[in-house]
Amino acid sequence: MGRIRCNMPSCGCPQGKGRHPVAVVVHGGCWLNQYSLQYMTHLSEALTKRGFATWTLEFRRVGDAGGGWPGTLQDVALGTDFLRQLAKTYPLDLGEVLVIGHSAGGHLALWLAARTQLPVSSLLYTPDPLPLKGVVALAGIADLATYSSEAGSCNAAVEKLMGGLPAAHPERYAQASPAELLPVGVPQRLLQGAADPIVPVRQATAYTAAATAAGDDARMVLIPEAGHFDLVAPFSPVWSQVEAACLSLLSGKKQRQLAKKHPATSR
């Protein structure tokens, strides 16, 4: 289901007493099973060094039995809610949980916050989803319908994920696309590279405008010259902005605790 990094020194997890804030990490890869959580390992390790327990999700993808609609979304929901069970073993602060996702994982991260808006009749509905402090979407695909018709290396995968294009399954897109579930009700931070060839900047700009108009606390950071994968590389010049976005979603008290116990290091 995923990989927990908390109080296990061999994994470089947070040290010290007290309960740790949690970052649920969702990988991208066009929702396809050719890609796994491995490329997000460095991001998870970097967040752990800053004091987060990271719960890096794996899930069924297109190409896996049960992947796509609705299994992929059901899996990330179950994986996130499983933190309640993990908190019985690990010192996790379930009042300080955020989700961070990249690319297609950015879509899933935003959706994890938005699923509170789903009707009871939805296949994706869960009665008591784990509350979130906020979402960080890194080059996130926020609007499945518009992205399905845009140029980009992942756009053709939307049809595979959803079992058809928007005209064929409008009800699925209404339940799976964050842009159609606003307002989300938790803070959202969308970081986007201006030089990203895979996810157009307008995915972030249009979504942020719509979320703000709906009453959400949604903010976009456009990073000049950054590409698609710069945002998930802790050694890149833009990493400090990713880290700052995550920290900003925590309570002031928790931010002060992390600043004291896990100070930032220069890169």
Side-chain angles (χ1 to χ4, degrees):
M1 179 185 294
R3 179 177 299 167
I4 188 73
R5 293 177 176 274
C6 182
N7 277 352
M8 296 183 292
S10 62
C11 292
C13 301
Q15 299 299 300
K17 297 180 180 179
R19 296 193 173 274
H20 306 297
V22 184
V24 178
V25 180
V26 190
H27 72 83
C30 304
W31 308 278
L32 302 176
N33 69 351
Q34 293 99 307
Y35 307 96
S36 72
L37 56 75
Q38 292 301 322
Y39 83 96
M40 295 288 274
T41 299
H42 295 301
L43 178 146
S44 296
E45 290 176 346
L47 288 178
T48 298
K49 290 178 180 178
R50 287 295 280 122
F52 288 89
T54 55
W55 178 223
T56 309
L57 296 181
E58 193 53 285
F59 44 91
R60 290 173 293 175
R61 287 142 283 153
V62 174
D64 295 325
W69 170 273
T72 294
L73 294 109
Q74 291 172 332
D75 284 359
V76 295
L78 286 169
T80 301
D81 293 340
F82 191 69
L83 282 170
R84 291 189 173 109
Q85 296 302 313
L86 292 173
K88 296 176 182 178
T89 302
Y90 300 102
L92 308 179
D93 186 343
L94 295 188
E96 300 276 1
V97 179
L98 61 88
V99 181
I100 178 170
H102 175 241
S103 194
H107 154 251
L108 295 172
L110 289 167
W111 178 82
L112 282 167
R115 65 188 172 126
T116 57
Q117 306 304 311
L118 290 169
V120 176
S121 59
S122 172
L123 289 173
L124 306 178
Y125 175 81
T126 49
D128 186 26
L130 185 74
L132 301 175
K133 291 288 286 188
V135 181
V136 177
L138 307 175
I141 299 167
D143 189 329
L144 293 180
T146 60
Y147 190 71
S148 68
S149 62
E150 289 179 326
S153 60
C154 273
N155 67 310
V158 175
E159 182 178 3
K160 298 176 182 178
L161 173 73
M162 300 300 291
L165 290 171
H169 296 293
E171 75 290 347
R172 293 185 181 182
Y173 283 79
Q175 297 169 57
S177 183
E180 299 198 43
L181 290 168
L182 296 170
V184 170
V186 300
Q188 301 144 73
R189 304 292 179 258
L190 290 84
L191 280 68
Q192 175 72 42
D196 190 331
I198 296 175
V199 177
V201 171
R202 59 181 168 271
Q203 279 286 314
T205 55
Y207 177 85
T208 303
T212 301
D216 274 342
D217 174 7
R219 306 176 195 176
M220 175 191 170
V221 178
L222 182 63
I223 305 175
E225 300 182 4
H228 191 65
F229 290 98
D230 293 327
L231 303 177
V232 297
F235 49 81
S236 76
V238 307
W239 175 251
S240 61
Q241 296 181 69
V242 176
E243 193 175 78
C246 292
L247 291 169
S248 73
L249 296 175
L250 301 177
S251 65
K253 179 179 179 180
K254 188 63 69 172
Q255 289 182 43
R256 291 189 293 273
Q257 289 175 351
L258 293 194
K260 182 177 179 180
K261 294 194 296 184
H262 305 276
T265 57
S266 59
R267 294 181 177 82

